[in-house]
Each structure stands twice: as structure tokens, then as C-alpha cells.
Amino acid sequence: MNLALVFQSGDYVLMSVFLVLVLMSIITWTVIVVRALKLRRAKKGNAEVQKLIWNANTLEEAVAQVRDVDSPISDLTLEAVKAHENYCQYKDTKIAAAVPLSEYLVRQIRNSMSQIMRRFDGGLTALASIGATAPFIGLFGTVWGIYHALINISESGQMSIAAVAGPIGEALVATAAGLFVAIPAVLAYNFLVRGNKTLSQDMDAYAHDLHVQLLNSKD
């Protein structure tokens, strides 16, 4: 398989297909590396923060220890404590605090969790789109290459097996390139979605404990 021959014999459409697939591959691997590292740091930071919080003597001490730690659970804790303080301070004046403390905290914690988990959705749409469209883009390049190969063969008058198999075989490279781009994108999408789901489950379990802790804390 001679890729140089593909670019030498291909026209601007076939070359554009390969350039698009190369761009898709770069985007895919960039998203994979960035998001995988971010997910790993988040899980590592969450484990560290939970250890600090549950080993603290008071809620104030726990908040002080995790304030400078960059992790989703740290952000969730700070937002929940802030919501608790606002409720206690403005419960007689703010309309938002007209509901019981438990329901108010549940609402604020859920909103904070949604905002935090939204940070980990970046790139997933790109991976899903690339995984779904890359094989078809490669197939389009193959069809286009085969069409022009047959045109050139008919014009040259050479109808032997060797004359047909060579150009068509080179045109099939586009389909292989499309699959080469799509398969990592699909696998990475499934991996990151699963990672986000486990992260969300861990945060949800922690949120229940934090909710109980805040309800039983002193003003």
C-alpha cells in the first residue's frame, strides 16, 4: 500500500477527505488525552478531599482544609456550605429560603452537582460525531477514488486485472483511514461516559452524607 501514490494520483476531493480524517484524528486524540487526565485528576482529588473532610474535627476545619484543593467534591462542599450559611443568615428575608432547610440544601446541592458535572462533558459530542461520521467520510473517499480509477482505466483501454486492482486497492485506503479514526473515537467516548457516570455516582453518594452533615451542624 503506497500512500504517496494515493496523493499523487488522487484529485482535490480525495486529498480533502484524507485531510479531514487527519484533522478528526488529531481532535480525537487531543480530547482523549485531555479528558482522561482531567478525569483521573478529579477522581484522585476527590479521594484526597473526602479523606480530609471526614478526618476533620469540625465542619469549619474541613472547609478550611479543602478550600485550596482542586476537585469536584471540594467545589461541591464549598457550594453546599455557602448555601447553608446563606439560608441561616437570610431565612427570614429571602423568598428562596421560604422552604425547609432540607429541601433548600437538596436543591442547591443538585444544582451544584449539575454545574460541576457539566465541566466533564466537553469533547464528548466531538468524539460521538467523529465516531459516527468518519467511516462514511472514508467510504466517500473510496467511492470517489474508485470512480476516477475506473474512468482512467476506461480511457486508457487497459482492462486487465492488474490495471483494475491497483487503483481500486489504493482507493480503499480511504475506508481504512476512516475506520482508523472512528474506532478510537468510539472506544474513548464509551470510556469517558463510563468514567463520568462513576464520578457522578461517587459525588451523589458523598452529597447524601454532606446533606445529613449540614442538617445536623450547628448554626
Side-chain angles (χ1 to χ4, degrees):
M1 184 183 299
N2 191 350
L3 293 178
L5 182 60
V6 176
F7 285 97
Q8 290 174 3
S9 60
D11 59 359
Y12 69 94
V13 175
L14 187 59
M15 295 180 65
S16 298
V17 168
F18 276 98
L19 290 177
V20 169
L21 291 176
V22 169
L23 179 61
M24 284 182 168
S25 181
I26 293 174
I27 294 174
T28 296
W29 287 105
T30 301
V31 171
I32 290 174
V33 173
V34 172
R35 289 299 166 186
L37 290 176
K38 184 175 182 179
L39 189 61
R40 180 181 179 184
R41 285 196 301 265
K43 291 186 176 181
K44 184 178 179 180
N46 283 348
E48 179 183 353
V49 167
Q50 289 194 70
K51 193 173 183 180
L52 291 174
I53 290 175
W54 301 129
N55 287 335
N57 296 321
T58 63
L59 184 60
E60 291 76 11
E61 179 183 344
V63 171
Q65 289 181 350
V66 305
R67 191 176 297 276
D68 297 329
V69 181
D70 185 16
S71 76
I73 283 183
S74 175
D75 297 337
L76 178 63
T77 302
L78 296 177
E79 291 293 331
V81 171
K82 182 179 179 181
H84 181 267
E85 292 175 350
N86 289 338
Y87 182 92
C88 295
Q89 186 176 0
Y90 301 108
K91 60 183 178 180
D92 296 328
T93 57
K94 280 191 174 182
I95 190 173
V99 297
L101 175 59
S102 178
E103 296 181 11
Y104 179 81
L105 288 177
V106 168
R107 183 178 65 189
Q108 296 300 317
I109 290 174
R110 289 298 178 190
N111 291 339
S112 298
M113 284 183 58
S114 298
Q115 295 297 325
I116 292 171
M117 290 306 303
R118 193 173 297 174
R119 305 174 193 170
F120 296 88
D121 290 338
L124 293 181
T125 301
L127 289 179
S129 301
I130 291 172
T133 59
F136 296 103
I137 294 175
L139 182 60
F140 170 76
T142 293
V143 172
W144 186 269
I146 291 175
Y147 168 75
H148 279 275
L150 294 177
I151 292 292
N152 294 333
I153 290 172
S154 64
E155 291 177 352
S156 64
Q158 299 178 359
M159 298 302 294
S160 63
I161 296 297
V164 174
I168 291 179
E170 297 294 343
L172 291 174
V173 176
T175 298
L179 294 175
F180 179 79
V181 174
I183 291 174
V186 173
L187 294 177
Y189 175 82
N190 293 332
F191 169 78
L192 293 176
V193 168
R194 176 61 181 171
N196 288 354
K197 184 177 180 180
T198 57
L199 180 63
S200 178
Q201 290 173 345
D202 293 341
M203 292 187 61
D204 190 67
Y206 171 79
H208 284 287
D209 296 336
L210 179 62
H211 177 254
V212 174
Q213 188 70 32
L214 290 175
L215 285 179
N216 291 277
S217 65
K218 297 180 179 180
D219 294 345

